[in-house]
Amino acid sequence: MRPDDTEPVLDIWLNASLQAHDFIDEAFWHQQRDAMRASYLPMADVWVGTYQEVILGFYALHGNTLAAIFVDPAHQGAGVGSQLLDHAKLQKPTIDLTVYQKNTASYAFYLRHGFVVDREQTDPHTGEREWRMVYSGS
């Protein structure tokens, strides 16, 4: 990710979050935008997926944690997320992540890509139940 990519990445993150997490108040996501810009994105290794110089999606790795993977809603279902996740797997042999239990589409996506549930927990920011999932390429 280049500095000029920040705003398009934040737009994708917000729009995809609102769509995928309709069980969480929209205001929560809008309130997190500045923290994403100032803290979360700078402390992660962020990769973007592009087509003809248009950013279609991105992922962020923080250590071995897949902290974020989002695809522009207009481009979902076209394999962009799979390509991003395959690229992330090349960066780290073991990856962990959390996914809201109510986000059944993403949960199924991670299962298809070889992730397994490690434990159940509660997100301290939203109070929503989530799965911690792990991928081990070995």
Side-chain angles (χ1 to χ4, degrees):
M1 185 174 109
R2 300 176 313 216
D4 289 351
D5 297 336
T6 301
E7 291 309 311
V9 162
L10 287 170
D11 288 344
I12 290 170
W13 167 80
L14 180 61
N15 292 329
S17 291
L18 291 170
Q19 177 180 306
H21 308 120
D22 60 352
F23 48 90
I24 296 173
D25 188 349
E26 285 187 22
F28 172 80
W29 301 110
H30 288 282
Q31 292 166 357
Q32 295 302 307
R33 188 177 175 109
D34 286 340
M36 284 290 291
R37 179 186 295 106
S39 298
Y40 294 114
L41 291 177
M43 70 180 181
D45 294 321
V46 182
W47 295 82
V48 296
T50 62
Y51 179 73
Q52 297 182 347
E53 299 185 31
V54 175
I55 297 174
L56 306 180
F58 74 96
Y59 74 87
L61 279 174
H62 185 255
N64 288 340
T65 299
L66 184 65
I69 182 168
F70 289 94
V71 174
D72 184 325
H75 298 285
Q76 290 178 2
V80 175
S82 293
Q83 290 177 357
L84 289 168
L85 191 53
D86 288 345
H87 189 271
K89 289 176 179 179
L90 295 174
Q91 309 310 306
K92 302 287 181 178
T94 302
I95 299 173
D96 63 81
L97 59 85
T98 57
V99 61
Y100 291 115
Q101 291 179 2
K102 292 179 183 175
N103 187 351
T104 57
S106 291
Y107 174 69
F109 171 79
Y110 295 127
L111 287 175
R112 282 193 310 274
H113 286 276
F115 284 79
V116 295
V117 173
D118 179 56
R119 67 176 176 260
E120 183 178 358
Q121 58 194 35
T122 300
D123 178 1
H125 305 289
T126 63
E128 290 288 334
R129 298 298 289 163
E130 60 187 10
W131 299 115
R132 181 180 181 273
M133 301 182 79
V134 177
Y135 170 83
S136 180
S138 55

